[in-house]
Amino acid sequence: MAENKLIRMDNVGIVVESLDNVIPFFMELGLKLEGRATIEGEWAGRVTGLGDQCVEIAMMVTPDGHSRLELSQFLSPATVSDHRTAPVNTLGYLRVMFAVEDIDEMVSRLSKHGAQLVGEMVQYQDSYRLCYIRGAEGILIGLAEQLGNK
């Protein structure tokens, strides 16, 4: 990695309808709200290609401090499409996978926030138990519990 100058993956962005609806879901998952801010103006639109924009963001960080989700609620311009109910084989970024200690307990906790299994909870050999769930606002996430030598 030193040769190609890549330092790390900084964050994954997810556009949401309401930060207030989604933040508690990701906090239940175990992420911490690192900060919340409004980003607006022509300068921001030059980065995204949207022109003049106003977006409220919430940065969520994983317990180890290495990974972040940037949740974005666009105030202007309005969102133009919605692929939250697209099947998992749809082109584009559709899910983020989280490693958890107890997948059954996590699914139970997240179901109190409206999460539903997409398919089934499955076991891959003697290595992992895995599932996809649709959480707050239909956001697709994956959960993986490592088995054996944790």
Side-chain angles (χ1 to χ4, degrees):
M1 286 195 33
E3 290 180 19
N4 67 24
K5 308 295 186 206
L6 178 67
I7 299 169
R8 68 178 177 275
M9 185 187 80
D10 194 59
N11 69 64
V12 173
I14 300 175
V15 177
V16 301
E17 287 184 88
S18 168
L19 291 175
D20 293 332
N21 290 340
V22 176
I23 290 171
F25 173 78
F26 284 107
M27 289 179 75
E28 186 69 39
L29 182 62
L31 278 73
K32 178 182 174 190
L33 179 62
E34 190 173 49
R36 195 168 169 167
T38 299
I39 309 296
E40 59 187 322
E42 179 268 338
W43 73 269
R46 289 196 334 256
V47 175
T48 63
L50 293 175
D52 195 23
Q53 71 179 39
C54 182
V55 59
E56 187 176 358
I57 65 164
M59 194 63 74
M60 308 290 297
V61 63
T62 56
D64 65 3
H66 293 278
S67 301
R68 288 171 175 72
L69 284 181
E70 180 179 313
L71 304 173
S72 301
Q73 178 182 340
F74 278 84
L75 306 174
S76 67
T79 55
V80 295
S81 65
D82 186 345
H83 64 265
R84 291 175 290 183
T85 59
V88 298
N89 61 342
T90 302
L91 294 174
Y93 298 100
L94 286 173
R95 68 126 177 102
V96 178
M97 178 73 73
F98 294 96
V100 299
E101 287 185 16
D102 183 339
I103 197 168
D104 295 309
E105 188 265 343
M106 184 61 73
V107 169
S108 176
R109 284 184 22 219
L110 294 176
S111 69
K112 295 173 186 167
H113 290 268
Q116 296 180 330
L117 281 173
V118 171
E120 300 176 35
M121 181 92 58
V122 298
Q123 183 165 326
Y124 174 70
Q125 299 179 351
D126 292 329
S127 302
Y128 287 94
R129 291 188 64 223
L130 306 157
C131 71
Y132 282 2
I133 63 171
R134 290 226 180 251
E137 294 192 10
I139 295 171
L140 182 65
I141 66 169
L143 300 175
E145 176 185 352
Q146 187 174 2
L147 302 175
N149 295 333
K150 294 184 181 184

